[in-house]
Amino acid sequence: MASYSCTADRGTAVFGGDVVTSGSIYIGEGTAGARTLNVYANVSGQYAAKIDNDESSSGHVLKLETDGNGSSTRILEMEDGDGDIVFRARADGRFGFGPDGVSSMGAGTFVVGIDNSSHTADIAISKRLQHLGDSNTYLDFPSA
């Protein structure tokens, strides 16, 4: 392990090499002063971060949780190099793809590959399937 230094007034630890832990690492304490976790890299042809769970039978990888709900809570957002949001998932169950889809967030729910008691289709449309840029080309699914 490399060198370690700490300033007593702020509780900051600086490591000059690889950091290996056999336990958990916690960022913040769930209080008003909690910090966010930021990962920065400047690499080409590689991923900036990788999470790998080697468990073969129930190897869950990532779970995102929030106490917020509704349209103003964003659970996941992806942004390209131009600053365009290309994917957004909100806590009200809606999500959008591409800058135009994200800005409008659509009117319905998009469900893919679900086969259970409430969904039996590969793609479920709640109300309308519309051709973008042509308001006269659409399939309407009125309520029963």
Side-chain angles (χ1 to χ4, degrees):
M1 183 80 66
S3 66
Y4 165 80
S5 66
C6 179
T7 58
D9 60 325
R10 293 189 60 203
T12 302
V14 178
F15 298 93
D18 295 338
V19 176
V20 179
T21 179
S22 61
S24 300
I25 297 176
Y26 294 91
I27 307 297
E29 297 179 47
T31 63
R35 306 278 183 184
T36 61
L37 173 64
N38 295 289
V39 176
Y40 174 80
N42 188 4
V43 296
S44 178
Q46 298 177 11
Y47 292 101
K50 179 181 175 183
I51 302 172
D52 182 5
N53 181 352
D54 277 345
E55 174 56 42
S56 61
S57 62
S58 291
H60 306 312
V61 176
L62 181 64
K63 180 177 182 177
L64 305 173
E65 292 184 8
T66 180
D67 286 344
N69 56 43
S71 62
S72 63
T73 298
R74 298 173 183 172
I75 296 175
L76 180 63
E77 194 165 87
M78 297 178 191
E79 181 177 318
D80 71 8
D82 295 332
D84 296 324
I85 307 300
V86 296
F87 178 81
R88 178 180 292 156
R90 298 188 323 202
D92 63 354
R94 293 183 182 181
F95 59 90
F97 292 95
D100 293 337
V102 168
S103 65
S104 71
M105 289 302 288
T109 302
F110 182 63
V111 180
V112 178
I114 302 294
D115 188 8
N116 61 30
S117 61
S118 62
H119 298 94
T120 58
D122 289 329
I123 297 177
I125 307 295
S126 62
K127 184 176 179 183
R128 174 180 282 199
L129 179 64
Q130 182 170 341
H131 179 239
L132 289 178
D134 183 2
S135 61
N136 293 322
T137 305
Y138 59 88
L139 291 172
D140 252 341
F141 300 92
S143 59

